[in-house]
Amino acid sequence: MRIDVVSIFPEYLAALDLSLIGKARREGLLQLHVHDLRDFTADRHRTVDDTPYGGGAGMVMKPEPWALALESILAGRPAPAESGSRAARPVLIVPSPAGEVFNQALAYELAEEDHLVFACGRYEGIDERVLEWAAQAFTVRPVSLGDYVLNGGEVAVLAMVEAIGRLLPGVVGNPESLVEESHSDGLLEYPVYTKPSEWRGRGIPEVLLSGNHARIARHRRDEQLRRTAARRPDLIEALDPAGLDKADKATLEGLGYAVTPDGVRAVQASERTS
Ligand code: J9N
């Protein structure tokens, strides 16, 4: 996969030289290129922003530097290999609190693409005409990291590139660690423990020392359900009942949920029998 990032703070993306993603780059599994938007300005002050038409707070990113930066990225794409073969459109991801919310499903979807381009806005945003114009050559996707406000897209890009990059073939050494983790089954992960078995007066659940793998699996599944009900009741209500076994249903009922073929719903305290 190739990823290009355009930013007025290219040094912000230096973290992508480190750890798993840095290793993937050095091994050629991921080609990542960071571009300074100011290199695509033509004035002495390398101006990237201006005041908003219609008034209002803050500054808006000017369109022309964005068009020149994106055109230079498009110009660097390899020509289609043979006549009649057309390369997939690159995807232009624009971090924005007004975008669709990034999640693991979107990470998997984007990990299938050949070419991602991230446009990091600052200030109050990028002139909307850039997104309209870019749709001629890119699939444009405004994406939010979550319902909170950042000063710019760079931190969102760090998170998204890490989430996507670790799904690329060969990046995570043991691919089994990708399937067992949080959110892949719609539940939060179970709590984990390591040595010593007693630490500062605190033990660990006895069952983990039993060697009984079926009981351990059941205990962990119940901990996932309990934790998810406590922290993310929205995920419990989104579960597909077809993916729940008898013991799951019993645990959920004990946690105050009713499980029917139609779904899982919270039972009002006043409706509960036991
Ligand atoms: N989720 C999210 C994105 C943002 C941005 S992108 C550019 C400025 C702010 N805030 N929150």
Side-chain angles (χ1 to χ4, degrees):
M1 174 184 279
R2 178 175 172 116
I3 297 180
D4 290 278
V5 182
V6 183
S7 165
I8 58 167
F9 294 118
E11 318 83 61
Y12 226 117
L13 286 305
L16 297 174
D17 294 340
L18 306 174
S19 191
L20 206 70
I21 300 298
K23 184 158 174 274
R25 290 172 72 183
R26 292 188 295 275
E27 290 174 354
L29 303 171
L30 173 65
Q31 294 161 261
L32 182 99
H33 299 270
V34 181
H35 312 269
D36 187 342
L37 182 67
R38 291 193 199 275
D39 291 347
F40 300 91
T41 58
D43 66 309
R44 207 164 62 84
H45 300 288
R46 310 222 303 161
T47 310
V48 293
D49 63 333
D50 206 338
T51 54
Y53 278 117
M59 299 289 269
V60 173
M61 297 193 97
K62 294 165 65 63
E64 189 60 13
W66 280 108
L68 295 174
L70 296 175
E71 282 173 338
S72 84
I73 289 166
L74 290 170
R77 284 165 61 79
E82 43 189 301
S83 65
S85 79
R86 285 193 290 110
R89 291 158 78 78
V91 180
L92 180 64
I93 300 162
V94 186
S96 164
E100 63 177 308
V101 178
F102 187 75
N103 61 17
Q104 193 66 24
L106 185 51
Y108 276 111
E109 193 184 318
L110 294 173
E112 297 290 318
E113 297 289 342
D114 287 337
H115 191 185
L116 304 179
V117 180
F118 289 90
C120 298
R122 285 260 146 186
Y123 316 112
E124 306 309 309
I126 302 170
D127 187 309
E128 189 65 23
R129 294 168 295 181
V130 172
L131 279 71
E132 296 167 12
W133 166 85
Q136 297 174 98
F138 295 87
T139 298
V140 178
R141 298 188 73 163
V143 178
S144 170
L145 196 60
D147 290 338
Y148 41 84
V149 179
L150 304 170
N151 285 327
E154 287 79 7
V155 164
V157 169
L158 290 175
M160 290 189 270
V161 169
E162 182 156 319
I164 295 163
R166 65 193 294 286
L167 299 178
L168 301 177
V171 173
V172 167
N174 178 4
E176 276 186 29
S177 57
L178 291 177
V179 290
E180 268 195 26
E181 67 200 14
S182 227
H183 296 275
S184 59
D185 55 4
L187 295 172
L188 304 185
E189 268 299 54
Y190 52 77
V192 296
Y193 306 90
T194 188
K195 291 170 279 296
S197 63
E198 189 174 317
W199 175 75
R200 298 198 181 197
R202 293 162 195 274
I204 66 171
E206 278 277 329
V207 63
L208 300 181
L209 299 168
S210 71
N212 182 328
H213 298 296
R215 279 189 61 221
I216 291 171
R218 187 65 250 164
H219 167 80
R220 287 178 166 169
R221 180 81 175 172
D222 286 342
E223 286 297 298
Q224 286 190 275
L225 291 164
R226 196 185 51 70
R227 219 182 217 198
T228 308
R231 300 178 186 174
R232 294 291 306 277
D234 58 311
L235 296 182
I236 295 285
E237 302 226 23
L239 288 172
D240 178 357
L244 301 173
D245 66 16
K246 271 214 158 109
D248 292 335
K249 288 174 192 165
T251 299
L252 284 169
E253 276 157 24
L255 291 167
Y257 290 90
V259 183
T260 71
D262 288 346
V264 183
R265 66 178 178 86
V267 181
Q268 297 291 327
S270 62
E271 296 178 67
R272 291 177 68 175
T273 50
S274 54

